[in-house]
Amino acid sequence: MVAFAILIFVFLGSVEGFSTKSQPCTYDNTRMCKPALATAAFSTLSFLLGAFTSVVSGFLGMKIATFANARTTLEARKGVGKAFIVAFRSGAVMGFLLAANGLLVLYIAINLFKLYYGSDWEGLFEAITGYGLGGSSMALFGRVGGGIYTKAADVGADLVGKVERNIPEDDPRNPAVIADNVGDNVGDIAGMGSDLFGSYAESSCAALVVASISSFGITHDLTAMLYPLLVSSVGILVCLLTTLFATDFFEVKSVEEIEPALKKQLIISTVLMTFGIAIVSWISLPSTFTIFNFGVQKEVKSWELFLCVAVGLWAGLIIGFVTEYYTSNAYSPVQDVADSCRTGAATNVIFGLALGYKSVIIPILAIAVSIFVSFSFAAMYGIAVAALGMLSTIATGLAIDAYGPISDNAGGFAIGSAALVSLALFGAFVSRADISTVDVLTPKVFIGLLVGAMLPYWFSAMTMKSVGSAALKMVEEVRRQFNTIPGLMEGTAKPDYANCVKISTDASIKEMIPPGALVMLTPLIVGIFFGVETLSGVLAGALVSGVQAGASDHARALGPKGSAAHKAAVIGDTVGDPLKDTSGPSLNILIKLMAVESLVFAPFFAAHGGLLFKIF
Amino acid sequence: MVAFAILIFVFLGSVEGFSTKSQPCTYDNTRMCKPALATAAFSTLSFLLGAFTSVVSGFLGMKIATFANARTTLEARKGVGKAFIVAFRSGAVMGFLLAANGLLVLYIAINLFKLYYGSDWEGLFEAITGYGLGGSSMALFGRVGGGIYTKAADVGADLVGKVERNIPEDDPRNPAVIADNVGDNVGDIAGMGSDLFGSYAESSCAALVVASISSFGITHDLTAMLYPLLVSSVGILVCLLTTLFATDFFEVKSVEEIEPALKKQLIISTVLMTFGIAIVSWISLPSTFTIFNFGVQKEVKSWELFLCVAVGLWAGLIIGFVTEYYTSNAYSPVQDVADSCRTGAATNVIFGLALGYKSVIIPILAIAVSIFVSFSFAAMYGIAVAALGMLSTIATGLAIDAYGPISDNAGGFAIGSAALVSLALFGAFVSRADISTVDVLTPKVFIGLLVGAMLPYWFSAMTMKSVGSAALKMVEEVRRQFNTIPGLMEGTAKPDYANCVKISTDASIKEMIPPGALVMLTPLIVGIFFGVETLSGVLAGALVSGVQAGASDHARALGPKGSAAHKAAVIGDTVGDPLKDTSGPSLNILIKLMAVESLVFAPFFAAHGGLLFKIF
């Protein structure tokens, strides 16, 4: 962490040879900008700030979840309605916390940095991108570490408990049950929280850095400049209003009413948000302005920018529903997979994999449409605000998600928004690195594309292997306890929970280093040795391949979840789980993190990168 | 088939409005070229010729394999050495047949077409590309249909036979055993044969079409023009020489000596071939010439072209060895996976998937290096000849492969060469469609990239689902026979083999239509409605994502093959098999076929494509 902060400082400081004099600005030679050394220092600072905020978000999320779990259990005695409200509210609180926390720190940082930078907005918002990098790198370790932790425990607990001993899920006789439950909290709550916080921070940063060299930045129109933050703020208000529909305006009386009520939530928030964006766009934006678009300024109207945000928002709704369709046991895809269990685990896994592959199609098309629309209207800025549009109703999404394992809507959001965020960051990187085309027909870019597309696979191989190894140890420990502790199966003796927790903890800390290093070092190595063209290829390749792999992993074997507690289903579930909970979500972060890291280091790569091609 | 031929004729004929007059050439306005209508007719003809040759290659391959199997069984009674020689030679014969067949028909077609085209080489070699398309489309149906056929039978036979009834593989008491063995022949021999034949035809066509607008074509130097065919011819001679080392110069006495002997074969053929290419390059090529490179002519020296072929050749060797490392039970990766079986099927599948993902890394890097080297020296022509270099020792590869299930070298070759071939075809397409850059930063290209990267997943979902459904039926039929036919388990009654064969046949014919249509229609739909830029994006996306998915599917769960006949391993094997034998190999064809189809239709798309953007 600290090492990486030092790296940022040294690399970015070296861009102008550690000079402390002001330099002519990159995009406007007539004015003077602050030196690269200052930007290095402020980037490092905002990196640390982002990392800190991310950790705080994750930590508070876990606190809320633990507290809410206990309260929900108590309220459940009073009836479904009461319990639902508590669970739902706790999820909403987490969503509000994430959004508000990220927004507040970012707003304060911008205002503080402005005291130093004054009218040099180019340097100011370049320094702010460190915030996104900090947030994301913490999220990576949270997701990977948390994912390994929870899945090692889960796989271990399920295989021995459910398959070999025929005891139910979360049975206290199972020695791995505590590790499993702790893991759910770490992986699902803290991981998801810091992941979404990272997306927020990154898409805001991407939008801001593009805006700073557009007409907002040039004319120093702060209200228009902070449009991305305004969209997110309105999102918080809208979600607040929406939650009232679920908890106060209507009442949920039975278990069957919960799922329709949650779906209504998504629709209500999306509709309200559409009006919200329209109002914000009308008030804060000048009716016509220009956006920097790879070397040229493109003219954009305020209603066009409104459409960019709206298309992201509605694409999010579609992705949410499609994710639910493929992951909820109320619909035919999952029922088919469950049905395939009757011919054994193998056909179950085959159907689950096929389902995962298939579930990618509509989300990818939705993402492609939003990219096309927002890109056509407002270039990379449009994509960044479309990402914010998709994320703006995330508080509602998290509230639904936190309610329980009905569906993984938030996961769908996380993947969809990751694609848009990464593309926006990629665009910002390309702008900062002074490239105006990324031509697939040049060998430098093409090999980047090929190698970049490989990275998600490499990364998945590492994390899957880690989960496998940790699960092996867990299975052996659980078996050992069942075999050696007398009275365990009868419930008269207590298992040694601590040992299982220790196995998961040790494994997650040890095993998260190599995949983490792969993600953090690849942009640096490629940028330094192969230069910005190859790095663009790598980013584009990782983006297109990571989105598919992430989305398909996500749905892949959620399938069997709904099916009977049958051995075949448990095996299918066990195969699907590390894909869904460890590899899949981490891939979101992989593509975002590589893009934001490239963006932060863009001035350095542009100045000193591509060593290998310089030598030969 | 016939419908598609008519489509080719109508679409290509419409480029110049079915005019029968000669037109000024595209690349040299001073000369007159034959009308598009003639090229449409000859393209259709060469398409049919390619399809026919492909079917003949597959059919002869199956004949050879059936004949060789019987002879090998007989020779095996005389000792390992004799049996080895027969098996090895039969594989070599198939390799020679494929290469020679493809080469001969292509050579005859070129010379016949030349009678009409005369000095219009541009039109001549454009018409010849239909040959590649014909070869590949037959290969697609062979691979997909064969893959579904064989895996439905295999999965069905294994799950009931090995897991439920505890009888060994290929036991005559198993009702699905005949369907399984027929399937092996159809899928592995005919499918692989027509796949590799397609690669040959396509890379030759891609090289020829680029060469026709380079200085070879302009100065009408036929010897230099046919350099791609000469490389393949030398490959046949070298492989012939190499096989003598295995069958005549040295003798294999025991089973342990077979694997080292086969490995030596690969090395010997690669070394000999390096000299072979050097001689061909020295004799047939002018010392300096120019190659068409997206709008400009690039100067290339003959030794540079030699290096392009050589880098492909050696990359093939590396890929062969890596594939073996990850798929042979003599090395640690597979042993690790086998070891993981002791904690059950789920950890086995997890490790197998991780292994598959990991096995991609080195081949992708080898492909990236060969692309970079050959692209830098001789642009897309370099890549096409690198692909031919990789394929030139394929007769040896097939001989090794046909020997048995020690390793899947030929599969590795198939994937590696598919990547190069598709890239070369992609380059030829871009040249023909008059695009000079494929810029990821334009929305048209980017959404193409995203959607293209999704296609392999969609395709895999379709084929996996097909295998799953067919296997379900097979499992039920096999169970039914075991339960209802008295004396079956005791070996006193015969199972109803025919019923199982029928299930596989029906399933493969019915189920190969949707994935086939996806591959054949996508380039047409994208080209007609979205135009050549988006189509370039789709091709590039499908290429980078298909290579990874194909390679990882290939190795994915070969792993468990080596392990003990344990239930967990069988389940792991069963999950891995459809990935390896149905989805994986078909993905090679998916990327090649889409590229060659785009190439054939390039003039049509350039003239009439992109309707959607023209309307709005």
Side-chain angles (χ1 to χ4, degrees), chain B residues 82-133:
Chain B
K82 296 274 181 192
F84 169 74
I85 289 179
V86 173
F88 183 81
R89 276 193 185 144
S90 69
V93 165
M94 221 181 85
F96 293 139
L97 178 90
L98 278 180
N101 211 357
L103 217 54
L104 189 68
V105 177
L106 190 60
Y107 184 74
I108 294 173
I110 290 173
N111 278 292
L112 287 181
F113 284 18
K114 211 150 76 71
L115 295 180
Y116 170 78
Y117 276 101
S119 68
D120 174 14
W121 285 18
E122 208 183 300
L124 166 59
F125 290 103
E126 196 180 312
I128 284 292
T129 52
Y131 185 71
L133 178 59

Side-chain angles (χ1 to χ4, degrees), chain A residues 235-257:
Chain A
I236 299 182
L237 292 177
V238 164
C239 289
L240 196 59
L241 202 61
T242 310
T243 52
L244 296 180
F245 281 92
T247 55
D248 296 72
F249 300 164
F250 301 105
E251 207 186 323
V252 171
K253 288 191 200 73
S254 66
V255 177
E256 290 76 43
E257 285 179 25

Side-chain angles (χ1 to χ4, degrees), chain A residues 313-324:
Chain A
L313 176 68
W314 283 87
L317 183 70
I318 292 169
I319 293 173
F321 277 121
V322 172
T323 312
E324 204 199 317

Side-chain angles (χ1 to χ4, degrees), chain B residues 130-406:
Chain B
Y131 185 71
L133 178 59
S136 258
S137 36
M138 284 300 99
L140 177 77
F141 289 107
R143 275 288 205 201
V144 176
I148 295 172
Y149 189 105
T150 182
K151 285 310 128 189
D154 191 24
V155 171
D158 284 2
L159 283 181
V160 182
K162 287 200 219 163
V163 180
E164 296 179 6
R165 297 279 164 167
N166 276 315
I167 60 177
E169 170 109 36
D170 289 347
D171 190 296
R173 284 172 295 173
N174 196 328
V177 75
I178 297 290
D180 187 10
N181 290 351
V182 171
D184 281 351
N185 206 351
V186 175
D188 290 356
I189 311 290
M192 173 74 85
S194 51
D195 183 0
L196 287 170
F197 165 75
S199 283
Y200 250 119
E202 284 164 329
S203 45
S204 305
C205 290
L208 289 171
V209 84
V210 176
S212 72
I213 47 180
S214 302
S215 66
F216 304 144
I218 293 160
T219 60
H220 291 83
D221 179 352
L222 192 63
T223 315
M225 188 72 205
L226 297 184
Y227 177 75
L229 274 62
L230 288 171
V231 170
S232 306
S233 314
V234 173
I236 299 181
L237 292 178
V238 164
C239 289
L240 197 58
L241 202 61
T242 310
T243 53
L244 296 180
F245 280 91
T247 56
D248 295 71
F249 299 163
F250 302 102
E251 208 186 319
V252 173
K253 288 191 196 74
S254 65
V255 178
E256 290 76 45
E257 286 179 25
I258 291 178
E259 209 168 328
L262 292 177
K263 258 195 241 173
K264 237 182 268 163
Q265 282 280 301
L266 267 188
I267 299 172
I268 293 171
S269 65
T270 304
V271 172
L272 285 180
M273 190 62 203
T274 312
F275 291 106
I277 309 164
I279 296 168
V280 170
S281 308
W282 185 53
I283 294 176
S284 70
L285 293 176
S287 65
T288 310
F289 47 89
T290 62
I291 288 292
F292 186 81
N293 178 24
F294 309 121
V296 292
Q297 294 279 346
K298 179 183 167 65
E299 190 167 290
V300 181
K301 295 195 170 50
S302 60
W303 64 265
E304 290 177 332
L305 205 57
F306 157 70
L307 282 183
C308 296
V309 186
V311 78
L313 177 67
W314 285 87
L317 183 70
I318 291 170
I319 293 172
F321 277 121
V322 172
T323 312
E324 206 201 316
Y325 177 73
Y326 280 107
T327 57
S328 159
N329 52 4
Y331 302 102
S332 72
V334 175
Q335 289 164 354
D336 279 358
V337 174
D339 189 46
S340 69
C341 288
R342 79 196 141 81
T343 42
T347 43
N348 178 238
V349 176
I350 292 175
F351 271 94
L353 287 172
L355 174 65
Y357 285 146
K358 204 166 134 192
S359 71
V360 176
I361 302 167
I362 297 174
I364 292 289
L365 292 178
I367 294 171
V369 169
S370 17
I371 287 173
F372 190 78
V373 171
S374 51
F375 203 130
S376 304
F377 280 135
M380 285 299 172
Y381 189 68
I383 289 176
V385 295
L388 284 170
M390 193 178 281
L391 288 168
S392 63
T393 53
I394 199 64
T396 306
L398 277 176
I400 294 173
D401 206 48
Y403 168 71
I406 288 190

Side-chain angles (χ1 to χ4, degrees), chain A residues 298-321:
Chain A
K298 180 182 165 68
E299 189 167 292
V300 182
K301 295 195 171 52
S302 60
W303 63 266
E304 291 178 331
L305 206 57
F306 158 68
L307 283 183
C308 295
V309 186
V311 78
L313 176 68
W314 283 87
L317 183 70
I318 292 169
I319 293 173
F321 277 121

Side-chain angles (χ1 to χ4, degrees), chain B residues 17-73:
Chain B
F18 299 100
S19 153
T20 53
K21 288 204 204 81
S22 289
Q23 307 280 336
C25 297
T26 318
Y27 294 95
D28 182 358
N29 288 321
T30 57
R31 290 186 308 113
M32 292 303 280
C33 280
K34 298 291 175 189
L37 195 63
T39 305
F42 279 104
S43 292
T44 314
L45 190 63
S46 57
F47 170 74
L48 292 172
L49 207 59
F52 179 72
T53 317
S54 173
V55 171
V56 169
S57 301
F59 181 75
L60 290 179
M62 273 166 49
K63 278 270 167 212
I64 293 171
T66 324
F67 184 71
N69 286 347
R71 271 202 62 194
T72 309
T73 318

Side-chain angles (χ1 to χ4, degrees), chain A residues 137-310:
Chain A
S137 35
M138 283 301 100
L140 177 78
F141 290 106
R143 275 288 204 199
V144 176
I148 295 173
Y149 188 105
T150 179
K151 285 310 128 188
D154 191 24
V155 171
D158 284 2
L159 283 181
V160 182
K162 288 200 218 163
V163 180
E164 295 179 5
R165 297 278 163 169
N166 277 315
I167 59 177
E169 171 110 34
D170 291 346
D171 190 294
R173 284 172 295 172
N174 196 327
V177 75
I178 296 292
D180 187 9
N181 290 350
V182 172
D184 280 352
N185 205 350
V186 175
D188 290 356
I189 310 289
M192 174 72 87
S194 50
D195 183 0
L196 287 170
F197 164 75
S199 281
Y200 250 120
E202 284 163 331
S203 45
S204 305
C205 291
L208 290 172
V209 83
V210 175
S212 72
I213 48 180
S214 302
S215 65
F216 305 142
I218 294 161
T219 59
H220 291 84
D221 179 352
L222 191 64
T223 314
M225 187 71 204
L226 296 185
Y227 178 74
L229 273 62
L230 288 171
V231 170
S232 306
S233 313
V234 172
I236 299 182
L237 292 177
V238 164
C239 289
L240 196 59
L241 202 61
T242 310
T243 52
L244 296 180
F245 281 92
T247 55
D248 296 72
F249 300 164
F250 301 105
E251 207 186 323
V252 171
K253 288 191 200 73
S254 66
V255 177
E256 290 76 43
E257 285 179 25
I258 291 178
E259 210 169 326
L262 292 177
K263 258 195 241 173
K264 237 182 267 163
Q265 282 280 301
L266 267 187
I267 299 172
I268 293 171
S269 65
T270 304
V271 172
L272 286 181
M273 191 62 205
T274 311
F275 291 105
I277 309 164
I279 295 167
V280 169
S281 308
W282 186 52
I283 294 175
S284 70
L285 293 175
S287 67
T288 310
F289 47 91
T290 63
I291 288 293
F292 185 81
N293 178 25
F294 309 120
V296 291
Q297 294 278 348
K298 180 182 165 68
E299 189 167 292
V300 182
K301 295 195 171 52
S302 60
W303 63 266
E304 291 178 331
L305 206 57
F306 158 68
L307 283 183
C308 295
V309 186

